[in-house]
């Protein structure tokens, strides 16, 4: 399927990389179809709106940066994504990439839950205080405590 | 804006199947707090306003990613 984008001009996207967002993203409710575009071996991928060539998000698997990252989706979320069990879902964190990329943050509070088998996704909100809205992914120190107790 | 007065234990119904129950009221004046119970159908998102606003703003900031320097991100990642 050929899609038109601002960044890549026209690109060919495999149908199985197209995802429906029945509710859009929070604040972007009208954008219902996105393509997930992988860039070689990079953990950073594009989530390109198929409705608006000018809208694209940088997304990544939070497990690549936050070992053990987990979300407990409620039954309604699992059912809404046409999944039989929470184990069928994967998660993508949306990145905010500022002018200084070393200050890039991942939104761990409101990840995108994806059922790849069904090509359907939804942004969900977790209330887990260990999942901040801004996780500064390149500012984490190996010797720093994981969290303040 | 529609404004209604309710007592503890009373509720209001919004559309099909959304119910907001006043479960507790405490304090007064600026310190007043209302505890609400919410019943909503599957798929209806219920969030505190400030949480919703913060996520909308974060998504808005993220949506401008068409200019993001992806190669630089990959470099930073490789240095971790």
């Amino acid at each position: 399927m050929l899609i038109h984008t601002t960044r890549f001009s026209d690109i060919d996207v495999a149908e199985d990389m197209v995802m429906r967002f029945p509710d859009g993203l929070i604040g972007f409710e009208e954008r219902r179809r996105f393509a997930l575009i992988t860039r070689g071996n990079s953990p950073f991928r594009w989530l390109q709106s198929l409705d608006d060539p000018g809208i694209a998000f940088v997304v990544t698997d939070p497990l690549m940066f936050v070992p053990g990252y987990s979300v407990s989706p409620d039954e309604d979320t699992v059912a809404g994504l046409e999944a039989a069990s929470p184990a069928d879902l994967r998660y993508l964190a949306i990145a905010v990439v500022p002018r200084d990329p070393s200050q890039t943050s991942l939104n761990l509070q409101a990840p995108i839950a994806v059922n790849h088998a069904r090509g359907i996704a939804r942004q969900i909100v977790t209330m887990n205080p260990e999942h901040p809205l801004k996780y500064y992914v390149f500012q984490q120190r190996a010797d720093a405590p994981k969290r303040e107790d | 804006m529609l404004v209604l007065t309710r007592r503890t234990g009373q509720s209001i119904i919004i559309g099909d199947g959304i119910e907001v129950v006043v479960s507790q009221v405490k304090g007064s004046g600026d310190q007043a707090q209302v505890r609400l119970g919410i019943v909503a159908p599957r798929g209806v998102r219920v969030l505190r306003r400030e949480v919703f606003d913060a996520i909308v703003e974060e998504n808005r900031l993220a949506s401008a990613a068409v200019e993001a320097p992806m190669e630089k991100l990959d470099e930073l990642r490789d240095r971790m």
Side-chain angles (χ1 to χ4, degrees):
Chain A
M1 187 181 71
L2 201 64
I3 62 168
H4 176 69
T5 73
T6 297
R7 184 176 174 107
F8 315 102
S9 62
D10 291 355
I11 57 169
D12 198 21
V13 173
E15 292 287 349
D16 61 357
M17 286 291 105
V18 173
M19 297 196 298
R20 287 179 293 132
F21 284 70
D23 307 311
L25 290 165
I26 298 171
F28 290 82
E29 283 79 7
E30 303 309 311
R31 309 280 178 255
R32 304 275 173 91
R33 291 192 319 139
F34 286 84
L36 186 61
I37 301 168
T38 300
R39 305 169 44 256
N41 293 323
S42 173
F44 294 102
R45 300 195 271 178
W46 289 105
L47 190 64
Q48 168 68 52
S49 167
L50 298 181
D51 302 310
D52 186 336
I55 291 185
F57 297 86
V58 176
V59 297
T60 191
D61 178 351
L63 286 170
M64 302 285 288
F65 298 94
V66 188
Y69 178 82
S70 75
V71 175
S72 304
D74 59 27
E75 287 175 25
D76 290 352
T77 299
V78 176
L81 289 168
E82 302 172 7
S85 118
D88 297 335
L89 303 181
R90 296 292 177 270
Y91 297 92
L92 291 170
I94 302 174
V96 171
V97 186
R99 197 156 296 169
D100 174 1
S102 71
Q103 298 299 315
T104 293
S105 62
L106 302 183
N107 181 349
L108 299 184
Q109 186 184 13
I112 297 168
V114 184
N115 180 355
H116 282 290
R118 304 284 295 174
I120 183 169
R122 184 172 198 249
Q123 189 172 22
I124 63 173
V125 180
T126 99
M127 289 302 162
N128 184 338
E130 289 180 26
H131 296 161
L133 188 66
K134 284 182 182 291
Y135 176 82
Y136 291 97
V137 64
F138 299 125
Q139 303 298 314
Q140 308 298 317
R141 291 275 193 79
D143 57 347
K146 281 263 188 308
R147 60 173 181 265
E148 294 170 29
D149 286 318
Chain B
M1 180 163 56
L2 173 66
V3 179
L4 300 169
T5 300
R6 303 273 64 197
R7 293 181 188 280
T8 303
Q10 294 184 326
S11 65
I12 58 170
I13 301 288
I14 303 170
D16 289 332
I18 298 178
E19 181 172 15
V20 181
V21 187
V22 178
S23 73
Q24 189 185 47
V25 180
K26 59 182 181 182
S28 60
D30 292 347
Q31 299 302 307
Q33 282 189 320
V34 180
R35 204 168 164 80
L36 302 173
I38 294 136
V39 182
R42 143 177 312 198
V44 172
R45 189 157 22 226
V46 178
L47 292 174
R48 289 177 175 85
R49 176 84 215 195
E50 61 273 23
V51 172
F52 175 82
D53 286 348
I55 294 170
V56 169
E57 174 62 8
E58 204 67 4
N59 281 349
R60 194 191 61 74
L61 291 171
S63 70
V66 282
E67 302 298 334
M70 301 301 278
E71 296 72 21
K72 187 80 179 139
L73 288 185
D74 291 337
E75 272 176 46
L76 286 159
R77 155 76 190 174
D78 290 344
R79 270 190 256 147
M80 286 177 84

